[in-house]
Amino acid sequence: MNVETAPALSDPDLAASDLDDLGLGREDYRTLYHTMRLQREFEERIYRLFRQGRLVGAAYAGAGHEAIAAGSAYALGDADILVPMHRVIGAHFLRGHTARDMMCQYLGRANGPTAGKDGNMHCGNWDHHIVGMISHLGANIPVAAGVALASKVRGDGAVSLTYIGEGGSSIGDFHEGLNFAAVHRLPMVLIVENNKFAYSTPTRYEYACENIVDRARGYGVGGALVDGTDVRAVYKATRDAVDLAREGGGPTLIEARCTRLLGHAQHDDAFYVPKDIMEDGWNNDPVTKAESLLLERKYFNREEIDGIQEEVKGIVDDAVDYAEQSPLPEPEEALQGVYAD
């Protein structure tokens, strides 16, 4: 594949019929909706715990990003590697981190993924093929490229998936990581979660091209522009990109458009977001959109949807109880597992 033939795998104007024939059945749709609803419920609880003083440190939420998290991670195979970011906790859930695991992580408990040594989304688990995220988010891209390079050398067929915000696409790590992956035709998928604001900076001050995915052709890689509020569109674009990478076609750059429905973090009330943008965002809430789809297509009835919501609430209630009853780390263990022996 060369620069002239780098394909656009999908676009935000796909007809509904193009997304119906994805090979997804009732249980697939249940898993996707359950994951999105669990992310929303979990993060709402995290914010509540923060305000109550029961959670120490920063609290981030991916409200508006749930379809990106669920749709992308669901497209991965068991051996593929996730290099997540802070708004895709649903991807953690799909790859094997439980709500209990992540609540213990947020509450700094000894039985959390980092044993209380790091906070919020800064965790991974190689048994689940999850590489812990780096706070300087662009640095995740070279890591994902390195993981993909290792996979190519081993010939194990694994694909790495990572994310960046549209703001983070302006830093050097984005170029260096994606360019390296492109040159070496590495099995990597990079999703730009374009939520219209890099913290408080609107996109018109972030980049001059019409779409970030326009850069894909310059790198000689495949590109896809998708509606990041439609879990089916995200799933299709990611699945196509993963298949292409696994077949030796190299990396794909996916731009998933959405609206961040809350501020950058718990401390930020998003006062800088124009009212019409926020209203449009809530009118296109990906969780509500997925729910409406399931009802309209008669995949589930209202009683079944309500049952999923109650199930998710119970999972989060259990996770909070479990985490608050779990032990805090012992002070003498503070440096264990932090530095190499």
Side-chain angles (χ1 to χ4, degrees), residues 197-310:
F197 287 87
Y199 199 135
S200 59
T201 303
T203 54
R204 66 180 180 276
Y205 296 130
E206 297 179 51
Y207 53 87
C209 51
E210 183 177 356
N211 306 301
I212 290 176
V213 75
D214 294 343
R215 302 175 185 174
R217 189 168 297 277
Y219 287 101
V221 303
L225 177 63
V226 299
D227 178 357
T229 68
D230 188 331
V231 68
R232 299 173 303 164
V234 176
Y235 169 77
K236 182 184 188 304
T238 309
R239 187 187 66 181
D240 290 349
V242 168
D243 289 346
L244 179 68
R246 210 183 310 281
E247 294 165 1
T252 296
L253 177 65
I254 298 173
E255 179 181 354
R257 294 281 185 87
C258 67
T259 301
R260 194 186 68 205
L261 300 177
L262 298 171
H264 175 72
Q266 200 282 332
H267 63 275
D268 172 27
D269 65 3
F271 69 92
Y272 45 82
V273 179
K275 183 178 179 180
D276 61 325
I277 290 179
M278 192 62 79
E279 287 180 350
D280 181 68
W282 281 107
N283 288 335
N284 288 282
D285 178 353
V287 179
T288 303
K289 181 179 288 189
E291 181 179 314
S292 298
L293 173 72
L294 298 182
L295 291 170
E296 290 169 5
R297 303 297 172 86
K298 301 187 185 305
Y299 293 122
F300 298 92
N301 59 37
R302 184 72 257 175
E303 183 179 358
E304 290 170 317
I305 291 292
D306 292 343
I308 294 172
Q309 294 173 357
E310 285 301 309

Side-chain angles (χ1 to χ4, degrees), residues 46-109:
I46 286 295
Y47 271 31
R48 198 179 311 159
L49 292 170
F50 183 94
R51 291 191 293 269
Q52 292 169 347
R54 295 157 69 188
L55 183 153
V56 178
Y60 298 90
H65 292 243
E66 291 91 350
I68 299 173
S72 62
Y74 200 62
L76 295 177
D78 291 342
D80 294 332
I81 299 97
L82 177 73
V83 186
M85 210 167 66
H86 59 300
R87 303 202 196 280
V88 293
I89 195 171
H92 281 265
F93 295 145
L94 283 172
R95 298 302 289 177
H97 271 152
T98 66
R100 282 185 171 189
D101 292 333
M102 298 308 293
M103 193 62 72
C104 286
Q105 172 70 10
Y106 263 99
L107 269 60
R109 290 334 202 224

Side-chain angles (χ1 to χ4, degrees), residues 77 79-81 150-160 187 242 245-247:
D80 294 332
I81 299 97
S151 173
K152 183 175 182 178
V153 170
R154 289 193 301 262
D156 59 17
V159 175
S160 69
V242 168
R246 210 183 310 281
E247 294 165 1

Side-chain angles (χ1 to χ4, degrees), residues 134-156:
I134 302 168
S135 185
H136 298 79
L137 299 173
N140 290 308
I141 301 172
V143 170
V147 169
L149 176 62
S151 173
K152 183 175 182 178
V153 170
R154 289 193 301 262
D156 59 17

